[in-house]
Amino acid sequence: MPGRPVDRFPGQTSDVRIRRPRMTPERERELLEAVLGVLREAGYGALSMDLVATRARCSKATLYRQWHSKAEMVAAAMIANRPVDPEAVDTGSLRGDLLALVEALSATAEKDTALIAAIHHAALTDEDLAATLHTSLAEYEFTHLSVLLDRAVERGELQRLPGAAEFLPQLLFGAVVTRPLTEGSFADSTYLARFVDLVVLPALRHS
C-alpha cells in the first residue's frame, strides 16, 4: 500500500539523490539530540523541521540534506539514542552479553519508555513512519542483536541461530515498555535480569 507523500524540501523530487555535505559526528549528534528534545516535549505529530532547526540552530536545508524526511530523521535519532551498541557487548557468554545489554536499557528506561511508546503509537497511524522504522530501526536492532547470537553459536552455547532470534528485539523492548502498564514501575536491572533468565534465554536455547 503506498504511503502518504513524504515531507520534502521545496523543489526536491522523489527521484533526486541528495548530496550530503560533510558533517562531523559531533554536529550530527547535536542535531539528533535536538530531534529527541522536540519529540519528548511535543510528540511526533507536532514535530516539524522548523522546530528542530530552531532547537539545533541550523537551517531546514541542513536537516533535509542530512535526512530525506521527518520519519527518517526520527529513526536516526532513535538509533543514536540507543544506550549501548549490542556489537560492542562481549562478556564471553550469551547470558553475560544479554545481562550487560539489559543493564544499559534499564539505566535509561525511566527517561525513554514514554518516548518509545509514543513513537510506536505514532507508527500505527503514520505509514511513512512505520515503513521507515521497519527498514531502519527494526533492521538495525535485529542485525546488531544477531551478533550476540552469532558469537554464542561460535562459542558452542547454541547449536545454531535459534528461531526465537527474530523476536529478540520485541522481547527486550516489550519488557521495557510494558512494565509501567502491568506493574506500575519502570523496568529496572533486577526485573530485566529475571526476564532474561526466565524468558529470553529459555526461548533462545529451545528453539
Side-chain angles (χ1 to χ4, degrees):
M1 179 182 295
R4 293 188 297 277
V6 177
D7 183 20
R8 297 182 184 277
F9 186 63
Q12 176 191 338
T13 60
S14 60
D15 59 348
V16 174
R17 179 183 296 273
I18 292 180
R19 180 172 299 172
R20 301 183 181 186
R22 292 181 179 180
M23 177 179 290
T24 66
E26 292 77 16
R27 182 52 176 157
E28 182 175 0
R29 180 69 189 183
E30 288 177 2
L31 297 184
L32 294 175
E33 287 287 353
V35 175
L36 293 171
V38 175
L39 272 174
R40 290 190 174 99
E41 294 172 13
Y44 182 80
L47 183 145
S48 69
M49 292 297 194
D50 287 306
L51 285 174
V52 174
T54 298
R55 175 71 65 90
R57 298 180 179 179
C58 69
S59 68
K60 287 196 298 181
T62 297
L63 299 177
Y64 277 111
R65 289 190 191 103
Q66 197 69 14
W67 300 286
H68 297 169
S69 67
K70 180 173 86 167
E72 183 179 322
M73 182 176 66
V74 167
M78 297 297 289
I79 291 175
N81 192 51
R82 293 285 286 107
V84 64
D85 181 352
E87 288 195 43
V89 177
D90 189 1
T91 65
S93 72
L94 177 58
R95 181 176 184 272
D97 289 350
L98 290 172
L99 291 180
L101 184 60
V102 298
E103 178 73 24
L105 290 176
S106 69
T108 60
E110 184 171 354
K111 180 181 70 172
D112 290 338
T113 296
L115 174 64
I116 296 171
I119 290 298
H120 287 181
H121 176 74
L124 294 176
T125 57
D126 189 306
E127 294 177 1
D128 293 326
L129 177 61
T132 302
L133 290 177
H134 175 72
T135 58
S136 57
L137 183 60
E139 289 185 9
Y140 173 90
E141 296 295 350
F142 177 76
T143 300
H144 284 242
L145 287 171
S146 293
V147 171
L148 272 65
L149 303 180
D150 290 338
R151 292 197 196 112
V153 173
E154 292 173 2
R155 288 191 296 258
E157 294 179 89
L158 299 174
Q159 292 184 347
R160 61 185 181 281
L161 191 67
E166 66 176 296
F167 300 107
L168 186 54
Q170 294 93 315
L171 286 172
L172 294 177
F173 289 101
V176 173
V177 173
T178 60
R179 195 188 187 201
L181 298 176
T182 58
E183 300 187 29
S185 57
F186 292 103
D188 56 26
S189 58
T190 300
Y191 172 83
L192 290 176
R194 291 184 64 246
F195 185 78
V196 165
D197 284 333
L198 299 177
V199 178
V200 178
L201 284 173
L204 295 174
R205 288 169 175 165
H206 302 289
S207 65

